[in-house]
Amino acid sequence: MLHPATDIGEGTVVYHPELSNIQHCKIGSNCKIHSHVWIGKDVIIGNNCKVQAFAFIPTGVTIGNNVFIGPRVTFTNDKHPPSGNWSATIVEDEVVIGAGAVILPGLTLGKGCVVGAGAVVIKDVLPYATVVGNPAKMV
């Protein structure tokens, strides 16, 4: 379901919105949002981004421009659920996040970094770094 108040930029395609839960959020121009995604209220997604199937992006996440989010990527926003004390997560421009990665709350993924498939990110990632594993470590 695509919330009617969602702000979607020109050229953005949401594949099968009836199979997703896209709440009141802002999605930039020329993005591709695949089916079965969950995008929470007040999430901001920049321009030229690709969000693959089954991604979970809750309230409190801000995504820059030219970001790739692979299938089944999960962002979290509550350090001690169900406290309701959400922590903001920032994904800077040109970040690539591989399939099945988990991003814990309150982190910054620096510009141009790469998060390997299946990584569990528990701390900030430096710009242009590559992290892999559980917990994610720089390679």
Side-chain angles (χ1 to χ4, degrees):
M1 175 179 106
L2 184 61
H3 190 282
T6 296
D7 180 8
I8 296 180
E10 186 176 335
T12 289
V13 176
V14 178
Y15 298 99
H16 303 288
E18 70 279 7
L19 299 176
S20 296
N21 186 348
I22 300 175
Q23 299 177 11
H24 183 270
C25 60
K26 181 176 177 165
I27 301 172
S29 300
N30 301 311
C31 294
K32 292 186 177 8
I33 310 296
H34 287 261
S35 64
H36 299 91
V37 300
W38 198 98
I39 301 174
K41 184 178 183 216
D42 299 326
V43 167
I44 298 171
I45 298 176
N47 299 320
N48 305 308
C49 293
K50 187 172 191 178
V51 179
Q52 299 238 309
F54 298 99
F56 179 80
I57 307 171
T59 299
V61 177
T62 300
I63 297 169
N65 299 315
N66 306 305
V67 171
F68 174 84
I69 298 173
R72 297 194 185 279
V73 167
T74 300
F75 288 86
T76 60
N77 64 356
D78 193 343
K79 291 181 181 181
H80 304 286
S83 73
N85 295 321
W86 296 334
S87 298
T89 297
I90 308 290
V91 178
E92 295 181 351
D93 296 344
E94 300 171 16
V95 170
V96 174
I97 305 173
V102 176
I103 314 300
L104 294 186
L107 302 180
T108 298
L109 303 183
K111 180 178 181 177
C113 75
V114 175
V115 176
V120 177
V121 182
I122 63 170
K123 58 185 178 180
D124 292 346
V125 179
L126 296 172
Y128 302 104
T130 298
V131 296
V132 298
N134 179 5
K137 293 183 180 171
M138 193 164 54
V139 294

